[in-house]
Structure formats: structure tokens, C-alpha cells
Amino acid sequence: MSSRHKTVALKTAKEMNQPRPVIVKNLLTCSQSHEFDDAKEEWTVQSLIDESSEGFSNHCHLCHTPNLKYNFILENALNGTTIQVGSTCILRFGVGLGKMDVDSGAIFLNNMIEEKELINFLQTYSSRVMVLHPEGRTLKKYYESLKRYFDLRGITAPTQEQLGLVIFGIKWEEQSTFNQLQMKRIFYNPGSIEVSRTKRTRPTHNPKEGTTWGHKRRRNVETTLARSASYSPEGRVVDNR
Ligand SMILES: [Zn+2]
């Protein structure tokens, strides 16, 4: 865990018990309890949406912070109400995290964000790898992203349905037979897929047309998507209120 992450966690912990009156009012309005600390316990983080989702709110329902990149959807166990909030309110006031401490909560939220970003990538790029000879670098990144997604969810051997839902969404069963086979090949046997030549590869290392990706794989050539700068787990919670 980085020092930056710890700094954020400590800062939020100190402020944990000092919600502004407007935040207290907003939470109590949609909770059953009339005490802030009790009301907090009624809520659970359910899911995460971004601006491409219907019903996205650009401000936090609790503190009204604008320009949210993500909405965490919190559901009230007693009355079924949902509210959409930024990560800051969740961590600062411990709303929706149950018994989790601030550090575990930050990791939990960051994992949700990473899963969301991975799904966005996997669905956006699916048409690029659902071809007979996908481009090598794209296939590699796609495979790594798919692995990372299921790693985060603790799944080592995803089923056809699990792969389909992640790659194509709820209409995965309408995909062609080729696509359904290809998604399994990508996860379980990417080396068996013949790739096309990478256009951006330097001339000295040009793999021959038709070289399988499995043969030209090298260690540490590229960072994985999960480790690249834009996917740094630290900072997301800070930046994406
Ligand atoms: Zn907020």
C-alpha cells in the first residue's frame, strides 16, 4: 500500500465523525433511523455506475460534490431506497461499508472501480479480438484484462456464461458460434490463436505474419493493464469523488 493511500485513509478517519449538517439531513431523509450513526448501518454499497449508465448523477446525493466520475449505488436494507454517492462520503463517514475499516473500504471501492474499468475495456474492444487473426498486442492486453477481472472476483475458471456476460453483456447468448468459442480460447488457450502482425512493432523485432501470440510472448515487455498508470489503485478514490 502506498504512502499516498495511507495519507488519504488517515485523513478520512479523522473526519469520520464530523459530517456537515446537510449530509446528516440528506442521509436521515432517506433512512428509517433518526440518528446518523444508526442510519449509516442501514446502507450497503451495491454497485457502481459511470456516466454512460442511465440515471447517472453528476453530484453526490449526500454532500452534493459535483463532477463525479462514478456513482456508488447504496441501498437501504430497511426501505429499499437507493442513493448515489461518491467514494469520499463512503470512506469519510463509513456509510455502506458495514464492518469494514477505512483501509479495507478503500480497497473494496478501488476494486469496484477497477472491475468497472476492466468491463468497459473488455466490451469496447471485444470486436477487435473476435476475429480470426486479432492483432497481437490487442489480444495480449485483452487476455490480461480478462484474467485480471476474474482474479479480482476470485474466479479461476469462469464458465461460458461468466465469460459471455463480461465480454458481451446480457445478450451474450445471441453471439455467433465463432465468438462463443473465441471467448473461451482467449481465456483458456490464447496461445492457440493466430495473430496478425503488430503494426507498431519495431522492424528488428517484427514477428512473421501468422506467428502465434503464444510463441512471441516475452516477460515484462508490457505492464499489465491493471498495473499501468491509469489503473493505479491509489489515487482513484482521491480523484474520483
Ligand atoms: Zn459525497
Side-chain angles (χ1 to χ4, degrees):
M1 200 175 290
S2 80
S3 56
R4 188 180 171 195
H5 178 88
K6 276 182 179 159
T7 309
V8 173
L10 286 174
K11 185 166 168 271
T12 53
K14 275 184 192 165
E15 292 167 359
M16 210 149 184
N17 297 316
Q18 299 154 16
R20 284 182 285 125
V22 64
I23 294 173
V24 175
K25 176 175 158 281
N26 286 339
L27 188 73
L28 294 185
T29 300
C30 46
S31 302
Q32 299 300 104
S33 172
H34 301 295
E35 296 292 333
F36 188 77
D37 283 340
D38 293 336
K40 286 194 314 190
E41 307 299 319
E42 299 174 16
W43 297 89
T44 310
V45 177
Q46 287 294 341
S47 56
L48 171 73
I49 60 172
D50 62 17
E51 58 188 355
S52 69
S53 304
E54 201 178 323
F56 178 78
S57 166
N58 77 345
H59 69 274
C60 173
H61 289 176
L62 288 181
C63 69
H64 301 154
T65 295
N67 304 321
L68 292 184
K69 189 175 175 190
Y70 299 103
N71 288 173
F72 288 92
I73 313 285
L74 270 57
E75 187 177 337
N76 188 297
L78 301 182
N79 59 25
T81 311
T82 59
I83 52 173
Q84 290 157 243
V85 304
S87 58
T88 305
C89 273
I90 295 175
L91 292 175
R92 185 176 290 173
F93 309 119
V95 182
L97 291 176
K99 303 258 179 275
M100 264 184 260
D101 63 21
V102 176
D103 280 335
S104 309
I107 292 166
F108 174 73
L109 299 186
N110 280 324
N111 283 351
M112 285 185 82
I113 293 172
E114 186 176 358
E115 278 181 23
K116 180 76 184 166
E117 290 178 346
L118 286 167
I119 287 180
N120 283 350
F121 170 81
L122 291 166
Q123 297 194 349
T124 304
Y125 281 82
S126 61
S127 61
R128 301 260 302 264
V129 292
M130 295 298 148
V131 292
L132 202 53
H133 301 297
E135 195 261 324
R137 288 169 66 106
T138 306
L139 177 65
K140 183 173 188 290
K141 192 172 171 184
Y142 201 88
Y143 164 78
E144 288 170 349
S145 302
L146 204 53
K147 278 279 188 201
R148 175 67 182 163
Y149 174 81
F150 285 109
D151 277 351
L152 280 172
R153 303 201 50 198
I155 297 168
T156 51
T159 62
Q160 176 102 346
E161 183 180 17
Q162 286 171 325
L163 285 167
L165 285 171
V166 170
I167 294 173
F168 299 113
I170 51 169
K171 294 190 172 178
W172 70 273
E173 282 176 297
E174 295 171 17
Q175 293 293 318
S176 68
T177 309
F178 173 82
N179 283 2
Q180 304 226 18
L181 287 172
Q182 183 80 339
M183 68 185 192
K184 279 166 76 177
R185 270 196 294 265
I186 292 173
F187 188 88
Y188 287 104
N189 197 6
S192 71
I193 299 171
E194 278 198 9
V195 296
S196 65
R197 193 174 58 176
T198 302
K199 292 189 187 81
R200 281 154 56 201
T201 305
R202 290 188 192 93
T204 48
H205 292 293
N206 249 357
K208 288 187 174 65
E209 196 76 49
T211 307
T212 65
W213 168 74
H215 290 295
K216 65 187 175 68
R217 180 171 55 171
R218 285 178 290 159
R219 283 170 187 271
N220 302 326
V221 173
E222 268 183 331
T223 57
T224 67
L225 183 64
R227 286 177 193 157
S228 71
S230 62
Y231 276 83
S232 165
E234 299 85 22
R236 263 200 244 114
V237 159
V238 198
D239 297 335
N240 304 323
R241 292 182 299 162

